[in-house]
Amino acid sequence: MWSHATKMWQAVDAARIERPRITAEQAADLYAYLSGGSDRQSLVGTAARGQQVFEAKLCASCHEQVDTGAPNLAIKAGQFSAFSMISALWQHGAGMLARMVAQNKEWQVLSAQEVADIIAYLNTKK
């Protein structure tokens, strides 16, 4: 979803419809529905790789700076999941994209493993 979010936002905007809100619980329900209730194992991330990805994909350039408007993610350490990340991206991603464009930064493409690693890192950050 992360990599396709900008195209989804553009389609919603082009259709002139209000972007629906999605909670972490709704994201989990959507996942369960779309995966057919699959019992596939979730990817396990590591904090060390997550820190590397967080820095390499430019997340730290906003989320670890005071004056960027990006939230301080350290205050939510231990609360991150794939579903909370999907929810946050859907709610705030368009604003994040606008800030990235204003700073001449490209939208970063993340693999599922990279997202799992970032979540592991954010959950250990204090």
Side-chain angles (χ1 to χ4, degrees), residues 57-85:
K57 296 289 187 168
L58 307 177
C59 308
S61 69
C62 290
H63 287 286
E64 292 188 346
Q65 304 301 317
V66 178
D67 298 333
T68 63
N72 176 353
L73 302 178
I75 62 174
K76 291 190 173 192
Q79 301 176 30
F80 292 98
S81 70
F83 306 118
S84 66
M85 295 292 277

Side-chain angles (χ1 to χ4, degrees), residues 37-104:
S38 172
D39 60 358
R40 284 182 275 170
Q41 296 281 328
S42 295
L43 291 173
V44 176
T46 67
R49 280 193 318 247
Q51 182 176 8
Q52 293 172 343
V53 175
F54 193 77
E55 292 168 1
K57 296 289 187 168
L58 307 177
C59 308
S61 69
C62 290
H63 287 286
E64 292 188 346
Q65 304 301 317
V66 178
D67 298 333
T68 63
N72 176 353
L73 302 178
I75 62 174
K76 291 190 173 192
Q79 301 176 30
F80 292 98
S81 70
F83 306 118
S84 66
M85 295 292 277
I86 290 168
S87 175
L89 172 63
W90 188 258
Q91 254 68 279
H92 307 292
M96 182 170 49
L97 176 62
R99 285 190 297 277
M100 290 175 77
V101 168
Q103 296 173 14
N104 257 347

